[in-house]
Amino acid sequence: MQQIAPDIASPAEIEILVSGGDLGVYRGGKWLIRGVDLAIRRGEIVSLIGPNGSGKSTTAKVILGNLKPDEGNVSAVSGLRVGYVPQTLHINWTLPLTVRRLMSLTGRHRARDIDAALDDVGIRHLARAEVQHLSGGEFQRALLTRAIIRRPDLLVLDEPVQGVDFAGEIALYELIRDIRDRQGCGILLISHDLHIVMAQTDTVICLSGHVCCSGTPKSVASNPEYLRLFGPRAADAVAVYQHHHDHTHLPDGRVVPLEAAQSEHKSSADVPPDGRPDV
Amino acid sequence: MFDDFFSRALIAGIGVALVAGPLGCFIVWRRMAYFGDTMAHSALLGVALALLLEINLMIGVFGVAVAAALALIILQRRPTLPVDALLGILSHSTLALGLVLVGLMAWLRIDLLSYLFGDLLAVSTLDIGVIYGGGAVVLGVLCLIWHPLLAATVSEELAAAEGLKPARSRLIFMILMAAVIAISMKIVGVLLITSLLIIPAATARRFAQGPEQMAVLAAGLGVVVVVAGLYGSLEFDTPSGPSIVVAALVLFLLSLLRLATGRPKPQARQ
Ligand SMILES: Nc1ncnc2c1ncn2[C@@H]1O[C@H](COP(=O)(O)OP(=O)(O)OP(=O)(O)O)[C@@H](O)[C@H]1O
Ligand SMILES: [Mg+2]
């Protein structure tokens, strides 16, 4: 697979993995979304932001092909390999399913790869736990691992770090970026964390049933539509995050937040990327 | 060995249990117990139609069960009534239709009870052939769709997004259910087929560490239950279906005991 550095190559040259034009979904007598345009290129992180009910998940489902749009259409490159973390997922308790078994739910993987992926996300110790017994944040980590272990061309992450602890949240976003860098996949990210979105993504699309504004994080952050939707304090999202943004790289290339790395200095060789000191 | 009616019933019953276990697991995981019940109840209508048209009983039952499943899928798509109400209507109306139709065919001497509750004496050598042939096909197809079906059971959304076509596996699964209902009707009877599907699977849940293991365990427990039930049926001259279900219930209750002793003993605290 060709490695692409998104900030070097010009967007026009990069393969568009999936795109939707003029998308509209009409349900229960109203348009949930309308006139939404979006394209995800290889190596690009596109994030969807917007208040609750603004149609983010709906847009993601249309892009995935799970929901047929009533207007517009979606086109994807053929043989597109997708990894998906849905916003909600409830697994019936009558199904005995360990974290390890969950990893090969939609495709087979070598045990070695599964271990490595679980390690990356900091839940190796939970490999044999039943998924129904996981805590909210642990389950979310498991779902993320399951999606990335597929080595997808396109990752669709609908609020992937909901319920993940503070240090883990930053580490997981770093991991997502890292996967994009290493595997060159395209990522559609839905998140309410404006700081992360502004600092970690290439293109931001601001939704409110329709596309309010879109573009680079900087241009969106100064757009009056964005400010109207999220309030004046949202403008700080870019500045604030960049100010506090601080992480360090471990010898093996893994990335950990600075505070976590310092507190774990004694045993830095096996710091989990989530930086939890008590694992 | 096949000339003795009891051996025939035993062999047939074991064949049915081996197929019912793994399929029953999916019924439990997908919460489709009432769906299965509805399909099974429609089997009597299949019997009546088969007698009327003079075709093979199992084919009649299979056809009507598939039709009932398709009707349910179509009715669910247009949300007119809550699913449980739909199931209740279809389940009982097909059963009633079957009973009325059988009643109308007064010229045929039909032992209704043997269809409702199963009958040891009813199993022929041909039936054994159909059960094992059909059962092997059902298990083979189930193995083929195992992974996509399991993924769809965890989440249809996820399976669809990752290209596994959940609607197709669901449809195939329903056809498999219809086939199992057709081949198990003579042993368990239409009223109790669902319990042979569900109870061994539910019992296996307590011991299983993974979905595949649960399916194998359910098949094994099903065999135990069928053998015990059929011997009970012979011994006490009771209908075979209810005897098998009672045996399944006993095993299920025993597994609950195991659960109770599985708790950690309270430790003395310092
Ligand atoms: N089948 C449906 N029929 C009618 N309305 C629906 C349907 N599905 C979703 N909606 C509505 O569409 C709107 C958009 O939903 P969506 O899940 O896309 O929002 P979201 O932006 O992901 O919100 P959140 O941030 O809460 O996850 C919501 O107001 C929801 O109530
Ligand atoms: Mg959402």
Side-chain angles (χ1 to χ4, degrees):
Chain A
M1 193 182 294
Q2 200 189 343
Q3 195 91 35
I4 292 153
D7 36 359
I8 299 170
S10 83
E13 295 164 14
I14 304 172
E15 178 190 11
I16 292 183
L17 292 169
V18 57
S19 66
D22 193 29
L23 301 174
V25 175
Y26 187 81
R27 289 294 133 85
K30 60 170 183 172
W31 289 95
L32 308 187
I33 54 169
R34 197 165 195 194
V36 173
D37 290 307
L38 119 136
I40 302 156
R41 294 179 170 80
R42 204 173 272 291
E44 184 188 25
I45 302 183
V46 175
S47 54
L48 283 178
I49 58 172
N52 293 140
S54 57
K56 302 181 297 294
S57 300
T58 306
T59 306
K61 285 174 195 167
V62 173
I63 288 293
L64 286 167
N66 280 6
L67 207 62
K68 254 200 149 71
D70 298 291
E71 265 181 16
N73 46 49
V74 175
S75 58
V77 297
S78 66
L80 184 74
R81 200 173 165 77
V82 174
Y84 180 36
V85 175
Q87 182 173 7
T88 53
L89 179 59
H90 176 76
I91 299 181
N92 189 343
W93 69 269
T94 57
L95 178 64
L97 196 68
T98 61
V99 170
R100 176 173 283 283
R101 183 66 183 80
L102 177 72
M103 295 304 127
S104 23
L105 190 67
T106 57
R108 289 177 179 283
H109 304 286
R110 284 180 302 183
R112 204 150 41 98
D113 295 341
I114 293 179
D115 286 337
L118 289 173
D119 242 349
D120 279 346
V121 185
I123 50 167
R124 173 86 175 267
H125 60 292
L126 295 172
R128 289 155 65 88
E130 286 206 11
V131 286
Q132 293 92 343
H133 296 162
L134 297 182
S135 77
E138 288 168 344
F139 184 53
Q140 212 56 42
R141 285 168 192 258
L143 289 182
L144 183 63
T145 320
R146 197 206 61 78
I148 62 182
I149 201 176
R150 292 170 52 74
R151 299 188 137 266
D153 303 309
L154 175 69
L155 255 179
V156 177
L157 308 172
D158 197 343
E159 304 191 25
V161 299
Q162 49 182 301
V164 170
D165 53 54
F166 179 70
E169 190 176 314
I170 300 172
L172 289 184
Y173 277 119
E174 297 278 5
L175 176 73
I176 290 169
R177 243 180 106 91
D178 190 43
I179 283 164
R180 187 277 308 269
D181 293 341
R182 271 186 302 173
Q183 301 177 9
C185 57
I187 298 177
L188 180 63
L189 172 70
I190 296 173
S191 171
H192 287 295
D193 193 330
L194 297 179
H195 293 170
I196 298 278
V197 165
M198 292 304 176
Q200 304 271 5
T201 65
D202 308 309
T203 307
V204 178
I205 297 173
C206 184
L207 271 186
S208 166
H210 60 283
V211 177
C212 285
C213 55
S214 65
T216 61
K218 273 228 173 76
S219 73
V220 167
S222 57
N223 191 303
E225 284 282 315
Y226 166 81
L227 296 176
R228 188 184 53 78
L229 211 56
F230 292 101
R233 288 195 56 204
D236 301 340
V238 185
V240 170
Y241 188 82
Q242 281 172 349
H243 186 69
H244 289 299
H245 177 81
D246 226 342
H247 65 266
T248 183
H249 294 263
L250 291 177
D252 58 359
R254 284 184 299 176
V255 179
V256 292
L258 196 54
E259 319 95 84
Q262 279 166 346
S263 69
E264 276 284 275
H265 201 65
K266 300 133 273 171
S267 58
S268 64
D270 39 39
V271 176
D274 59 0
R276 280 180 304 170
D278 54 346
V279 180
Chain B
M1 185 179 179
F2 282 17
D3 359 300
D4 157 24
F5 78 93
F6 186 68
S7 308
R8 281 200 303 269
L10 211 53
I11 292 168
I14 289 171
V16 165
L18 288 175
V19 186
L23 223 66
C25 289
F26 276 104
I27 294 178
V28 170
W29 297 334
R30 300 179 70 104
R31 300 172 182 269
M32 285 173 68
Y34 283 100
F35 196 100
D37 230 22
T38 304
M39 283 172 75
H41 285 181
S42 74
L44 197 71
L45 185 58
V47 170
L49 288 178
L51 291 173
L52 203 61
L53 303 172
E54 295 179 344
I55 54 172
N56 181 287
L57 280 192
M58 290 192 195
I59 292 175
V61 169
F62 176 72
V64 170
V66 168
L70 290 179
L72 272 171
I73 293 176
I74 292 167
L75 286 173
Q76 273 176 28
R77 232 177 247 160
R78 290 195 292 156
T80 40
L81 271 180
V83 178
D84 58 338
L86 268 180
L87 288 172
I89 292 172
L90 211 64
S91 165
H92 296 118
S93 52
T94 48
L95 183 63
L97 264 175
L99 288 169
V100 167
L101 214 59
V102 168
L104 282 178
M105 292 187 289
W107 62 92
L108 290 169
R109 287 189 301 113
I110 299 172
D111 180 10
L112 202 55
L113 285 185
S114 80
Y115 292 114
L116 293 177
F117 298 116
D119 185 4
L120 281 182
L121 300 169
V123 183
S124 68
T125 312
L126 177 67
D127 290 335
I128 292 181
V130 175
I131 288 173
Y132 277 81
V137 171
V138 168
L139 280 185
V141 174
L142 187 64
C143 283
L144 280 180
I145 64 164
W146 183 272
H147 286 283
L149 185 62
L150 189 70
T153 300
V154 169
S155 163
E156 297 236 335
E157 233 192 329
L158 202 72
E162 300 188 354
L164 289 180
K165 302 202 171 62
R168 191 182 59 179
S169 4
R170 195 190 331 128
L171 185 67
I172 296 175
F173 175 65
M174 283 175 185
I175 294 172
L176 296 184
M177 264 168 81
V180 169
I181 287 167
I183 64 173
S184 52
M185 181 190 61
K186 281 200 178 167
I187 302 279
V188 216
V190 296
L191 290 183
L192 298 171
I193 285 173
T194 327
S195 44
L196 184 63
L197 288 161
I198 297 175
I199 302 179
T203 311
R205 172 60 182 104
R206 309 194 171 280
F207 306 94
Q209 250 105 57
E212 290 77 18
Q213 202 185 5
M214 180 164 154
V216 172
L217 262 174
L221 290 172
V223 170
V224 171
V225 160
V226 163
V227 171
L230 288 180
Y231 272 105
S233 163
L234 187 67
E235 176 74 24
F236 303 110
D237 193 22
T238 47
S240 58
S243 312
I244 290 172
V245 175
V246 168
L249 177 68
V250 169
L251 202 66
F252 178 70
L253 292 177
L254 285 177
S255 82
L256 290 183
L257 283 181
R258 181 251 176 208
L259 183 75
T261 56
R263 294 227 178 91
K265 296 182 187 81
Q267 280 169 350
R269 296 209 180 151
Q270 258 89 40

